[in-house]
Structure formats: structure tokens, C-alpha cells
Amino acid sequence: MAVPSLPDVQADPALVQQLPRPVAIEYRRQLRRLDADLEAHIAASADRAESAREPGESSRAVSLDEAARLLSMERRTLERKPTWQRLGGYKDLDGRVKFRLGNLRRHVTRRSRSTG
């Protein structure tokens, strides 16, 4: 019996049951790579569109809580000095850690490009 192609499986998900395990793993790898590429493209497109509309938006300061949500990370992870420094964080006048929104978006874009 012939192995269904990825477009055939996408058109009829019931064909998944006919896939040999190595083929299923390869199709999953291809789909994850495509997902990461699409995510990076969407994030980059949003950055360009937002920077054209609101040039100051990318330099907006973001708190630890908002940064954690944007990065899908735990706040406690971001509180560690090496982590927030690596992500371009800084301490404001009150001693609170802040991030520039543009830096976080670039990090998300790079991270999504490197996965897959």
C-alpha cells in the first residue's frame, strides 16, 4: 500500500492511521518547521506594520508580568538577572526591571526561527 503524501493527509486526517511511524515523525517535523516560519513571518509583519503606525510603540517599556506573557515564560525566570540582562532588560528609576517591547518582539521572532 502506498504511503499517503502530506497534502493527502492534510486533506483527509483519517489517513494518519496509515502512516508508518518514521513518516509520521517526518510530517510532524515539517509541519512544526512551517508553523515556526509562519509565526516568525507574522511577528515580523506585525512589527513592521506597528512601527509604521506608531514609531514609539517598539520603545515602550514593558513590566516583568507583561514580558512574561509575551515570551510565554514564568515571571520567576525573568526575575533572574542573567535572564533579564540577556533579553535587554534594565532597571527603571524605581529599581523595577523593564524591557523594551521591540526587544522582546525581536527575541520572539528569533526564537521562533530557531525552532524546527
Side-chain angles (χ1 to χ4, degrees), residues 6 21-31:
L6 180 55
R21 187 171 190 274
V23 173
I25 292 169
E26 176 59 22
Y27 286 178
R28 182 181 62 185
R29 186 195 64 74
Q30 290 177 21
L31 290 171

Side-chain angles (χ1 to χ4, degrees), residues 29-99:
R29 186 195 64 74
Q30 290 177 21
L31 290 171
R32 286 184 176 168
R33 176 60 191 225
L34 177 60
D35 182 52
D37 290 343
L38 288 170
E39 187 67 33
H41 172 68
I42 291 167
S45 298
D47 281 349
R48 284 193 298 270
E50 283 183 22
S51 64
R53 279 184 276 128
E54 303 174 38
E57 178 69 10
S58 66
S59 62
R60 179 172 70 86
V62 174
S63 69
L64 274 170
D65 290 326
E66 190 175 353
R69 281 192 303 276
L70 287 168
L71 298 170
S72 300
M73 296 174 80
E74 294 289 326
R75 178 191 163 105
R76 292 181 65 188
T77 301
L78 284 178
E79 289 174 339
R80 296 182 189 129
K81 188 173 184 177
T83 303
W84 62 258
Q85 284 181 327
R86 181 175 47 84
L87 294 170
Y90 62 94
K91 287 198 175 189
D92 66 4
L93 295 175
D94 293 336
R96 293 187 177 104
V97 176
K98 299 286 176 107
F99 302 87

Side-chain angles (χ1 to χ4, degrees), residues 13-14 17 19 23 28 30 62 72 79 88 101 105 109 113 115:
Q17 300 303 319
L19 295 176
V23 173
R28 182 181 62 185
Q30 290 177 21
V62 174
S72 300
E79 289 174 339
L101 183 58
R105 288 183 176 152
T109 301
R113 284 183 185 151
T115 59

